[in-house]
């Protein structure tokens, strides 16, 4: 179902654990982008990786968003229910000779560096191994709404990326582009940990001959050791009883000057104020936390 609204954004958490402060910042930022543009904010649960899934995580995510008055539009969608559309997109790439079967291990590909994968020339049945995108003209730069021109360093560009993994699961890049197209997403607003994923996703948009959405990557929240907050680093789960406080912190992290008279107000009231006062220029002030991939101080 493709919608024709002028702005459609989304929040797309993986249910691999409860939301932490970094994911709350992304949720708040993408919500404000959508709502300040009179748009829709969709929720997509990215549950295509069962081994990484934590039982109950989706429900915990719903509860957390609700507690912070981050109400999504429509029903949440689940990637686990979209296998047919992913399969169809893989077929489309295979038919265009833009996909091939690869039996290399991660270690052998790393050893290969930027060299050509030996499987590129092979004609193997599509059932045996990973399916990789034939990346004829890798994209290295893109324009970000917040960070302006972003250039991904060559060492972060794997030349041939998977669209179906060796274990048969659909790969993240394929699933996210397929769904963003299907849902008519006009802007992807997410954390800067996905900066390098963007160039692979742009290559898929090109292959599908589909205009890409605009991209906007929020600065990452770091822990005291300078590592980004993540489930892998055991970032603490958001405490729901502190919702107003959490929101205020998230907004301040995003550069908004929350007035003192809003401290402790209901989450709805804080968010209503934030929608009116949301300004990407305030977020720009935070971008120096993101490393030297950014070539200029101004946003586009
Ligand atoms: N599911 C991804 C995550 O939780 C986000 C994907 C995206 O926003 O494109 O990190």
């Amino acid at each position: 179902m493709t919608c024709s609204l002028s702005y459609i954004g989304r929040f797309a958490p993986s249910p691999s654990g409860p939301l932490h402060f970094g994911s709350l910042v992304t949720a708040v930022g993408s919500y404000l982008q959508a709502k300040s543009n009179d748009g829709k904010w969709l929720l997509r649960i990215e549950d295509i990786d069962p081994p990484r899934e934590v039982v109950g995580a989706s429900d915990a995510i719903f509860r957390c968003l609700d507690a912070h008055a981050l109400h999504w539009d429509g029903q949440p969608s689940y990637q686990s229910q979209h296998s047919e559309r992913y399969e169809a997109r893989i077929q489309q790439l295979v038919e265009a000779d833009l996909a091939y079967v690869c039996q290399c291990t991660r270690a052998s590909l790393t050893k290969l560096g930027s060299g050509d994968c030996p499987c590129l020339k092979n004609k193997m049945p599509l059932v045996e191994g990973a399916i990789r995108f034939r990346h004829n003209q890798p994209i290295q730069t893109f324009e970000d709404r917040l960070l302006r021109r972003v250039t991904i360093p060559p060492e972060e560009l794997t030349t041939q990326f998977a669209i179906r993994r060796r274990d048969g699961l659909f790969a993240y890049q394929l699933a996210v582009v397929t769904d963003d197209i299907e849902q008519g997403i006009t802007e992807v607003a997410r954390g800067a940990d996905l900066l390098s994923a963007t160039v692979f996703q742009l290559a898929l948009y090109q292959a599908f001959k589909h205009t890409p959405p605009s991209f906007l990557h929020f600065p990452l929240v770091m822990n005291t050791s300078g590592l980004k907050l993540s489930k892998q680093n055991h970032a603490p789960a958001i405490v729901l009883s502190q919702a107003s406080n959490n929101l205020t912190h998230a907004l301040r992290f995003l550069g908004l000057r929350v007035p003192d008279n809003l401290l402790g107000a209901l989450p709805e009231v804080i968010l209503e104020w934030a929608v009116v006062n949301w300004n990407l220029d305030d977020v720009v002030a935070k971008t120096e936390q993101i490393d030297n991939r950014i070539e200029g101080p101004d946003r586009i």
Side-chain angles (χ1 to χ4, degrees):
M1 176 204 56
T2 306
C3 212
S4 60
L5 264 181
S6 51
Y7 186 106
I8 305 179
R10 52 43 160 206
F11 178 54
S14 307
S16 48
L19 298 185
H20 51 73
F21 183 66
S23 24
L24 182 71
V25 164
T26 300
V28 169
S30 66
Y31 174 89
L32 293 177
Q33 252 311 88
K35 293 301 157 186
S36 63
N37 281 289
D38 282 329
K40 293 226 180 231
W41 188 62
L42 308 184
L43 176 60
R44 185 168 74 224
I45 300 294
E46 302 214 316
D47 54 349
I48 40 157
D49 194 352
R52 286 188 54 222
E53 205 168 320
V54 168
V55 180
S58 301
D59 286 339
I61 291 171
F62 299 148
R63 279 198 301 276
C64 183
L65 294 176
D66 267 335
H68 292 83
L70 291 161
H71 303 306
W72 55 91
D73 291 295
Q75 293 299 318
S77 70
Y78 293 85
Q79 289 195 318
S80 57
Q81 295 172 2
H82 301 161
S83 298
E84 275 177 27
R85 62 167 85 142
Y86 303 146
E87 206 52 71
R89 286 294 185 183
I90 290 179
Q91 271 316 313
Q92 189 182 342
L93 295 175
V94 169
E95 280 159 27
D97 200 23
L98 286 171
Y100 68 98
V101 171
C102 172
Q103 291 181 316
C104 295
T105 58
R106 195 185 289 253
S108 63
L109 281 175
T110 308
K111 218 156 135 201
L112 210 62
S114 57
D116 275 350
C117 163
C119 308
L120 267 170
K121 295 189 236 43
N122 295 352
K123 288 266 175 246
M124 280 186 267
L126 278 180
V127 280
E128 292 175 28
I131 303 182
R132 294 189 188 282
F133 180 67
R134 200 183 289 279
H135 214 177
N136 292 329
Q137 289 170 310
I139 296 172
Q140 209 187 337
T141 62
F142 67 94
E143 297 293 326
D144 187 280
R145 287 286 311 279
L146 204 58
L147 311 174
R148 218 166 73 155
R149 176 156 291 257
V150 175
T151 301
I152 304 300
E155 62 276 15
E156 285 185 32
L157 296 170
T158 42
T159 43
Q160 322 296 339
F161 62 88
I163 51 176
R164 198 185 70 194
R165 298 167 15 174
R166 269 161 75 85
D167 56 12
L169 295 173
F170 296 107
Y172 158 70
Q173 314 288 8
L174 176 93
V176 85
V177 170
T178 301
D179 286 336
D180 283 340
I181 291 176
E182 194 68 27
Q183 294 184 291
I185 300 300
T186 59
E187 183 166 271
V188 169
R190 60 187 175 192
D193 51 333
L194 289 164
L195 273 179
S196 45
T198 305
V199 290
F200 303 132
Q201 293 171 17
L202 285 169
L204 288 175
Y205 279 100
Q206 213 169 61
F208 295 139
K209 299 188 175 36
H210 199 284
T211 310
S214 55
F215 286 93
L216 191 167
H217 291 88
F218 294 113
L220 297 179
V221 183
M222 304 294 180
N223 65 18
T224 44
S225 333
L227 297 169
K228 87 163 175 106
L229 289 193
S230 71
K231 292 157 197 163
Q232 290 76 15
N233 292 336
H234 311 292
I238 290 281
V239 178
L240 302 199
S241 58
Q242 295 288 313
S244 299
N245 233 348
N246 300 334
L247 270 182
T248 305
H249 282 305
L251 293 173
R252 288 188 169 159
F253 180 84
L254 288 165
L256 267 85
R257 285 172 274 290
V258 183
D260 285 350
N261 64 348
L262 272 184
L263 298 182
L266 286 175
E268 285 78 356
V269 176
I270 298 175
L271 276 185
E272 215 172 290
W273 174 88
V275 170
V276 176
N277 289 278
W278 176 243
N279 183 351
L280 282 185
D281 288 332
D282 291 334
V283 192
V284 169
K286 295 282 173 178
T287 55
E288 72 275 13
Q289 292 181 19
I290 306 174
D291 61 25
N292 55 12
R293 279 175 284 200
I294 303 147
E295 284 179 2
D298 305 315
R299 68 181 172 86
I300 52 166

